[in-house]
Amino acid sequence: MSTNHKPLSKKQLEETLIQYRHHFHEYPELANREFKTTETIKAILTKWGIKLLPTNLKTGVFAEIGTNDGPTVALRADIDALPIQEESGVPFSSKVPGVMHACGHDTHIASLLGGAYLLKQLEASLPGKVRLLFQLSEEDKEGALQVINDGQLKGVNAIIGFHNTPQPIGHVGLRSGITTGAIDKFKVTLTGVGTHASAPQNGEDPIAALGYEITELQSLISRELDPFKAAVLSITHLSAGNTWNVIPSYAFFEGTVRTADKNVRQEIKDRFFKIVNYTALAHNVKADINWYAGDPSVDNDPTLTKIVKDETAKFAPIYVQEQQLGSDDFSCYQDIIPGVYANIGNGGQVSLHNSHFTASDHLLIVGATFLKKMLSDF
């Protein structure tokens, strides 16, 4: 390791990682704006003698450890925060109004830094190389795709990462195959003819059409989908009109669809367009649909998952990772190379994306150990 200092003990490393985590938590930054976070990570890696890789991206940090010509395995941590006002009450709460690490990405950053420190000390003995991906913008702006388009996956043979979750500290969740849902977003504008509220016969009411659209779309999942196949359709935002005595010309709604099965994903999209268009036609209004195809499902490679499970069992309790329909753009990497995305318990009691979210500092050394052992032991 390129340093004149004696290597840190496990306790010293844990204390260092806690300091780093608290700093990142106090100064969170939103997707594509992680400028100070990026500079801090760069400074730490440089201090430890870890080689930084060039990038055309304005945020995010990419680095490499290893001198041998064996396989290259990537380790990924996401670095962005959420637009949430923190109410957790921890002494290192966010100092940035309206922004919080409510998904625990600060723990991912610190854990990957810890794994990087440990792997740097083993650099000469590593059979190949370790690519470090401190990824920007997981919560928004398709950060993984930005990383891929920047060429940071070039030469990488496999990828490993984890997400913290409200489970006992140090317990590692693993599952072969699909673990999360694919995400699609939709925006629909209904265009009618505005008129005075006392004379609806002189117009075409988009609000009435909107009500029927909601009812019909909710029945898509409950009445048309095989009950043994998981999917969720949620309408989350409505907008129409601005006063009490005018029927408006426009109504708007948007939301999301989450699916696990690829065929179900396409089936729901096809039915969505038919339901929206024909319901609009029945009410003499026009429907304009914008459909945004998001990340696919996280799909853990079976062979790699078994290796990770066998190695993890040597130092941590393992549980079967629960399938859920939340999304993570780690799946974009798995579309290109084999990968495993695990869960590690954070000891908290509150769900992710909540203003009261907390994660124990003791997660950090567990996460660092997990990432280090996945590269050093196989």
Side-chain angles (χ1 to χ4, degrees):
M1 184 170 182
S2 301
T3 176
N4 296 323
H5 300 289
K6 181 180 178 180
L8 299 174
S9 67
K10 180 178 179 180
K11 181 178 180 181
Q12 289 172 325
L13 178 59
E14 182 173 22
E15 291 172 348
T16 300
L17 297 181
I18 290 172
Q19 291 176 8
Y20 290 153
R21 184 266 170 123
H22 289 188
H23 172 81
F24 292 125
H25 194 92
E26 287 181 320
Y27 299 99
E29 295 176 295
L30 296 175
N32 271 14
R33 306 179 200 173
E34 311 95 332
F35 299 107
K36 293 181 180 179
T37 303
T38 293
E39 292 307 312
T40 301
I41 294 169
K42 284 182 177 179
I44 294 168
L45 295 177
T46 300
K47 179 178 69 174
W48 290 343
I50 295 174
K51 182 177 72 173
L52 300 180
L53 299 178
T55 176
N56 293 315
L57 300 175
K58 293 181 179 179
T59 59
V61 181
F62 311 100
E64 195 165 85
I65 300 169
T67 57
N68 295 315
D69 293 329
T72 297
V73 179
L75 300 178
R76 178 269 208 169
D78 33 18
I79 68 174
D80 56 329
L82 286 159
I84 294 175
Q85 180 63 44
E86 182 159 7
E87 299 179 286
S88 70
V90 297
F92 52 92
S93 290
S94 172
K95 295 181 178 179
V96 182
V99 184
M100 175 192 177
H101 270 297
C103 207
H105 291 182
D106 54 323
T107 68
H108 301 170
I109 301 169
S111 294
L112 184 52
L113 286 171
Y117 179 88
L118 294 170
L119 288 164
K120 180 63 178 176
Q121 296 176 82
L122 304 171
E123 186 168 34
S125 63
L126 292 175
K129 293 181 175 63
V130 181
R131 185 77 50 84
L132 306 175
L133 307 179
F134 291 89
Q135 181 204 303
L136 71 161
S137 190
E138 188 276 327
E139 299 291 356
D140 197 11
K141 313 300 183 186
E142 298 291 352
L145 293 181
Q146 293 186 56
V147 172
I148 293 168
N149 292 335
D150 193 50
Q152 299 301 335
L153 227 58
K154 185 177 180 180
V156 176
N157 302 101
I159 186 167
I160 295 171
F162 78 86
H163 204 293
N164 74 97
T165 190
Q167 291 283 345
I169 298 170
H171 290 222
V172 178
L174 287 163
R175 175 186 286 271
S176 176
I178 292 175
T179 65
T180 75
I183 178 174
D184 293 300
K185 307 172 189 176
F186 56 83
K187 295 183 178 182
V188 178
T189 300
L190 301 173
T191 303
V193 177
T195 184
H196 195 287
S198 67
Q201 74 278 8
N202 294 331
E204 302 294 351
D205 189 350
I207 294 180
L210 174 61
Y212 279 94
E213 296 279 13
I214 294 170
T215 301
E216 293 299 323
L217 287 172
Q218 294 304 318
S219 68
L220 193 162
I221 301 296
S222 64
R223 309 294 352 132
E224 298 189 38
L225 186 67
D226 183 338
F228 287 98
K229 294 183 178 179
V232 170
L233 188 155
S234 294
I235 296 171
T236 56
H237 177 206
L238 309 172
S239 177
N242 55 25
T243 190
W244 67 276
N245 61 350
V246 176
I247 293 175
S249 297
Y250 304 98
F252 169 85
F253 67 95
E254 65 179 333
T256 183
V257 174
R258 307 299 176 101
T259 52
D261 183 272
K262 291 181 180 179
N263 292 329
V264 170
R265 185 182 191 185
Q266 185 61 49
E267 177 185 344
I268 288 179
K269 179 182 177 181
D270 293 343
R271 289 293 296 138
F272 181 95
F273 273 73
K274 288 180 180 178
I275 288 171
V276 170
N277 282 320
Y278 284 124
T279 301
L281 182 63
H283 289 82
N284 292 319
V285 301
K286 179 177 179 292
D288 291 302
I289 305 170
N290 289 314
W291 187 274
Y292 305 89
D295 304 325
S297 300
V298 170
D299 192 353
N300 288 336
D301 179 78
T303 301
L304 192 56
T305 301
K306 186 179 185 308
I307 295 172
V308 171
K309 182 178 180 180
D310 290 345
E311 294 302 318
T312 302
K314 296 175 182 178
F315 70 91
I318 294 176
Y319 66 93
V320 178
Q321 193 174 8
E322 181 181 355
Q323 290 179 305
Q324 48 91 18
L325 290 178
S327 66
D328 193 294
D329 67 4
F330 187 88
S331 61
C332 296
Y333 302 124
Q334 293 176 313
D335 256 6
I336 300 173
I337 56 175
V340 173
Y341 200 47
N343 286 144
I344 299 182
N346 60 27
Q349 303 297 317
V350 179
S351 68
L352 309 179
H353 292 219
N354 185 295
S355 62
H356 297 278
F357 170 85
T358 60
S360 171
D361 287 333
H362 296 299
L363 160 67
L364 308 180
I365 197 65
V366 177
T369 302
F370 172 80
L371 295 171
K372 174 255 183 181
K373 282 187 170 291
M374 292 309 104
L375 273 296
S376 61
D377 287 359
F378 71 85

